[in-house]
Amino acid sequence: MEFDFGHLTTRSRTVAVVSAVGILAPALLGLAIGPWLHREFAPGTNGLGFQLFVCIALSISALPIMGRILLEMDSSERRWG
């Protein structure tokens, strides 16, 4: 990818918070909807395993998508706030 990470070293705390939220928010969403998804779509499988799968699937797909959105909007080096 053509994402330039050099300017992020001066804002390491902001980068860490945004990254953590970008992974934790989808994981929490997975925990919230996991029991319903399991009950409706995969009742014959292990409940905890299915819920962890949903959490991981949502979490690992969120971060690359956020990076791509920043690149597409030409906002990767823009200072916010």
Side-chain angles (χ1 to χ4, degrees), residues 25-64:
L28 293 175
L29 177 65
L31 286 174
I33 66 171
W36 175 78
L37 288 172
H38 179 260
R39 186 174 56 251
E40 294 294 320
F41 298 106
T45 62
N46 180 338
L48 179 61
F50 182 82
Q51 198 166 358
L52 288 174
F53 171 78
V54 171
C55 291
I56 291 168
L58 290 175
S59 294
I60 63 173
S61 63
L63 200 56

